[in-house]
Amino acid sequence: MDPATTTAINIHWWPSWRPTSMSLLKTTESKILACIQKDLWARFVTLPNQDRIWTLTLTNKVVRKPAEKGTPLVMVHGFGGGVGLWIRNLEALSRSRPVYAFDLLGFGRSSRPPFPSDAAKAEEQFVNSIEQWRQSVGLENMILLGHSLGGYLAASYAIQYPSRVSHLILVDPWGFPERPQTQTQEDEGQGTQVVKRPPLPRWVKAIAAVVSLFNPLAVIRAAGPWGPGLVNRFRPDFKRKFEDLFDDDTMTQYIYHCNAQTPSGEVGFRAMAESLGWAKRPMLQRVHLLPPTMPLTMLYGARSWVASSSGDRVVQIRDQANTEVLLINEASHHVYADQPEEFNRVVESICDSVD
């Protein structure tokens, strides 16, 4: 078959094979946001380079005078997420202050530009987009909250732009610990030995090597028409977390449409991540760069796969200065959705401590 003909066939066939579009993502998200009763302003914020950041702003009608409004809370989602995942939190947290949530560059409904393969440059692109977003929205300072990957990027942002962050809240943040040593090492001076971890089986290494060749969510796109079912099968917890709001597949459909689009942010994430999820540039190596006067609260789900020991290490590094680690009982990685009432209570208390 002529190559040109093959290309034409593929272009025609691909969209129908992968049942997603930005329009379907918009429709699904609109159904989620319809649960919000307060004033909601949803729009694209255009950055100087013409990238667009999909942004939500919630305000309380009762709080009318600017002087009565508290420092804005800005919420940054994690890998593969979007603003819709905050549906249990946005209204509760906007009682005494404006709340902003946005889709990270390369995720959700925001622009999906190319990302560099260098870890530092990819991180810088994310952080620059957050700062350009802040300038475009017109926020002087903010309480910055980030979950998972959003926590990693929020910490990086706070290091680079400390004057803009009144309080940093990291929720089950990704990318803090260093990758554990896997080799036996002798300390000749002390005669001590690092415990050698059992080697991975060859088949695990082989699978990891194959997976590392692709973007993390490639399987969802490669599954074509079976993609939505795949999300339902492997992430049934998302449906359960929101089952009192939706009795159908709304939330898993939202996750699917967020991640079945052209990969962009996940390319940036892949550049920053080692295999098995470790950061190439662990945040524990840089957290000392946060000003000692910046209040930092780290929230962990007591049942999360993210170890709260990183939070304890941060307390040690900062010499306990303005740093607190809190565990949310009965919560896994998605703390905000697993125990939304307790999460909202803790975050609102932190915000009230600011003003």
Side-chain angles (χ1 to χ4, degrees):
M1 182 179 294
D2 179 66
T5 305
T6 303
T7 302
I9 292 175
N10 285 339
I11 292 174
H12 173 76
W13 170 70
W14 179 255
S16 62
W17 187 72
R18 191 171 64 195
T20 190
S21 66
M22 277 295 181
S23 178
L24 288 173
L25 172 55
K26 177 182 177 180
T27 299
T28 306
E29 182 190 80
S30 296
K31 183 177 179 180
I32 296 170
L33 299 182
C35 297
I36 295 176
Q37 302 299 314
K38 289 186 178 180
D39 281 353
L40 171 65
W41 184 19
R43 80 281 192 193
F44 285 104
V45 172
T46 303
L47 305 185
N49 65 357
Q50 300 307 306
D51 282 338
R52 302 196 304 167
I53 302 296
W54 179 243
T55 304
L56 307 183
T57 306
L58 269 81
T59 55
N60 191 337
K61 291 181 179 179
V62 178
V63 183
R64 297 182 181 277
K65 298 179 182 179
E68 296 176 351
K69 294 181 180 180
T71 302
L73 171 65
V74 175
M75 307 179 75
V76 187
H77 65 79
F79 177 75
V83 295
L85 294 183
W86 301 117
I87 191 60
R88 289 188 174 280
N89 320 109
L90 293 170
E91 283 193 291
L93 296 175
S94 64
R95 281 193 282 254
S96 60
R97 69 194 64 250
V99 173
Y100 293 79
F102 61 86
D103 285 342
L104 279 166
L105 184 69
F107 290 102
R109 295 180 62 189
S110 290
S111 295
R112 294 176 174 251
F115 273 80
S117 58
D118 177 78
K121 291 179 179 178
E123 180 182 330
E124 190 67 15
Q125 185 169 339
F126 278 122
V127 171
N128 283 344
S129 71
I130 296 174
E131 171 59 8
Q132 290 171 4
W133 173 87
R134 182 202 63 78
Q135 294 177 15
S136 298
V137 172
L139 298 181
E140 283 300 312
N141 49 59
M142 56 189 162
I143 299 166
L144 184 58
L145 181 152
H147 171 252
S148 196
L149 170 63
Y152 181 89
L153 296 175
S156 180
Y157 176 90
I159 289 172
Q160 295 187 52
Y161 302 98
S163 65
R164 303 301 181 183
V165 181
S166 301
H167 196 122
L168 180 61
I169 307 173
L170 306 179
V171 184
D172 245 47
W174 170 87
F176 269 65
E178 298 176 354
R179 190 172 185 177
Q181 292 287 336
T182 57
Q183 301 293 326
T184 299
Q185 295 178 348
E186 292 287 346
D187 186 327
E188 296 180 359
Q190 300 295 327
T192 57
Q193 180 173 317
V194 177
V195 177
K196 185 177 180 180
R197 302 178 68 199
L200 289 173
R202 288 184 178 180
W203 65 269
V204 173
K205 293 181 179 179
I207 291 177
V210 172
V211 171
S212 68
L213 298 175
F214 301 95
N215 291 316
L217 299 170
V219 64
I220 293 177
R221 293 181 291 274
W226 296 279
L230 200 64
V231 176
N232 269 325
R233 179 178 177 183
F234 288 100
R235 295 308 306 265
D237 56 309
F238 270 106
K239 185 174 182 178
R240 289 195 300 268
K241 294 178 199 300
F242 302 92
E243 61 186 0
D244 60 321
L245 297 178
F246 309 102
D247 58 4
D248 56 13
D249 295 336
T250 296
M251 293 308 295
T252 49
Q253 285 286 326
Y254 177 68
I255 292 296
Y256 171 73
H257 290 305
C258 276
N259 294 296
Q261 312 298 323
T262 302
S264 170
E266 68 180 275
V267 176
F269 172 79
R270 181 188 173 202
M272 297 189 300
E274 294 277 11
S275 60
L276 305 180
W278 305 97
K280 291 179 180 176
R281 306 176 72 235
M283 195 55 65
L284 281 181
Q285 297 177 353
R286 290 178 279 157
V287 74
H288 67 280
L289 298 175
L290 287 172
T293 55
M294 181 185 292
L296 167 61
T297 304
M298 304 183 75
L299 302 180
Y300 290 89
R303 295 183 174 180
S304 174
W305 55 268
V306 176
S308 61
S309 57
S310 288
D312 298 332
R313 182 72 183 114
V314 171
V315 172
Q316 295 174 355
I317 292 171
R318 302 191 82 209
D319 198 22
Q320 301 184 355
N322 297 304
T323 309
E324 187 174 16
V325 177
L326 301 174
L327 292 181
I328 305 295
N329 291 328
E330 305 300 319
S332 60
H333 183 51
H334 295 274
V335 187
Y336 57 90
D338 291 326
Q339 296 295 329
E341 291 81 9
E342 179 64 7
F343 174 85
N344 294 340
R345 184 192 68 78
V346 170
V347 173
E348 189 169 32
S349 176
I350 295 169
C351 291
D352 289 343
S353 73
V354 176
D355 49 28

